[in-house]
Amino acid sequence: MKNPILFYRILILLFLSTANQLKAQEALGPVPTEKQLRWQEMEYYAFVHLSVNTYTDMSWGFGNEDPKIFNPTELDCRQWARIAKEAGMKGIIITAKHHSGFCLWPSKYTEYSVKNSPWKNGKGDIVREMADACKEYGLKLGIYLSPWDRNHPDYGKPEYITYFRNQLKELLTNYGEIFEVWFDGANGGDGYYGGANEIRRIDRKTYYDWKNTYKMVRELQPDIVIWNSNGDRADLRWVGTEAGYVGETNWSLLNSTGDETRDLLHYGLENGDSWVPGEVNTSIRPEWFYHKREDTKVKTLPELMTIYYNSIGRNGTLLLNFPIMPNGLIHEKDEKAVLEFAQEVKKVFAVNLAKGAKIEASSVRANSSGFGAENVLDGDKNTYWATDDQLKSGSLIISFDKPTVFNRFLVQEYIKLGQRVKSFKVEAYVNQEWKELANETTIGYKRILCFPTVEATKIRFTILDAKSCPLISNIEIYNAPQILTAPLIVRKQSGNVQIIASDSESEIYYTLDGSRPTLKSTKYSNEVKTTNAKVEVKAIAYSPATAKSSAIAEEKFDIAKKSWKILGVEDKEVYRILDGDANSVWHQNKVMPINVVIDLGKIESLVGFRYLPDQSLRSKGIVSKYKFYVSIDNKKWQLVNEGEFSNINNNPLWQNKIFKLAKARYIKFTALENTKGDNVAGFAEIDIVTK
Ligand code: FUL
């Protein structure tokens, strides 16, 4: 080389000019911290729920459960870690202390822990075993520490805050690096409280003095992210439901102060002043803790795939829970389900059809080569396409060299500089015309769109509106194999069974005797008439086009409600309570207590009842405290069950309550309180359990 100095000068100048261009991209509004970014990129991690209430079949422990019942004789945190790892998860959050107050580690500050249980003769430490297993499997460890403690005598007093912080300190100093800490929002109410057995209410925003608690947490674990659902902004937010989805519009922004409505949590706030991304938490079974009756309710592959698209595919992360069995293990059905799910995700995202395709942009910054369209296909998360500064819209066209079949579109914003896109659409070029596949709102870290399979030579991605010049770092295109969703089974008030396939092209085969449905079973055409007796229905969907069958859907129904009458209510809509449709609801606006009295038509042998609350996101009248009476003659009533529906606010599932055999013709459900403390009782369904 003739003049090496000149050559290097030119190189340095070139480097500086690119660096300058990159700097020219200014952050817009709130941006994620390094920690939040790292967390978002984890995408998928596990929850495990285990406590004393695992042994009492309850959703929440009351705090008076004897530590002697806690004995997970086969406990193996390495099994949990292996499953999480094989499922593609990046970490595990363990319920070190749930609302019962029982500690899975031998805390110095209480006797209510594993140290007074028979497990390992009181010498064990589950958090330690979890930390070791995570290390072995290359997973990160997270801690759930319930602020509400139904065991501690000081709960509600200032002394408890010292106790709570002491426990946090133990957990954040003795178990290595913790990636996330979880402060559950369920707070205050009745409990054992060291024998007081009373109701204690606290102000969840102020009682814990979160500011100083956060300070301590961050000092002990500088890289941690804090999840808090107590109205005090932390690093991460709940998404307003435990059913496994966040809004299609999902801004990673909220205001630093102000109330958290369900809507705000679910959709975020376009002009929020803080970066508070959403974490979608849900369980692989309906409930968080293990209940044997849910062994047939493990989420199916299509359900889990839907959750994936509705969480990770909607700018959220996915925190998927495994209820630990009383023996200390994850149930084999849960393992099978999550591993099938992992395989399916791998299959769907195996071949990126956009790789190697041609790409051009409607707008490329005039002065740069650093922000070209090719950046969205280069597999590098640090490069991105940017339109000219002054533009808030623009499009990219991806062309294949031959007609290509696809049904998924994945797109990512370069969120380090803020979340910008407000609306966009995706079109396919089919038969010389642009056909719209999707018209959507936000993108954020990652958005995955699912649409019917299409064959096209080109795709056009158009940003219709953005807060400022949009920055897109990645686009991928896939053709996911079709999976059939198991059909939905309902039993109407008439007793007729209706089986509904999720698409009109598939056929349904079913059995009524508990046997496994196959293509040789009865083919479903119309509602099936049944007797008034109990019935167990199993059904599959089958696609003649692909010769594939769905997983089996199964439902057990108690006696038919054909001759039931709801007494004392004029409103005909009240029969929504008995129509078998989970989405139809009847509300009663009256001063609590609110009664619903039902005449069963004849004397039945009752051993329990069931209640399904309003299922909508903006639900009303979710009953949290109840009494349940029975009567032979509608005059003399016998109280057979009373209590709380734990966690019904966040997870409005079917509530099942069992009582001692009682013969009766009339039932009375009395709502004493709802989760909002107002005077509405809402009912999607009421059912009974007969002997
Ligand atoms: C809720 C709790 O009340 C549930 O029991 C569960 O721990 C869930 C993850 O959060 O708010």
Side-chain angles (χ1 to χ4, degrees), residues 47 49 59-60 95 98-99 144 182 184-186 242 281 288-289 647 650:
F47 228 161
H49 272 66
S59 309
W60 289 347
T95 50
H98 202 256
H99 311 328
Y144 171 119
W182 230 82
D184 200 292
E242 291 178 353
N281 65 313
W288 296 96
F289 284 91
N647 203 32
N650 290 358

Side-chain angles (χ1 to χ4, degrees), residues 251-268:
W251 291 99
S252 289
L253 305 173
L254 280 182
N255 280 336
S256 60
T257 54
D259 282 336
E260 278 173 355
T261 61
R262 290 259 162 144
D263 272 11
L264 274 180
L265 293 169
H266 202 61
Y267 303 107

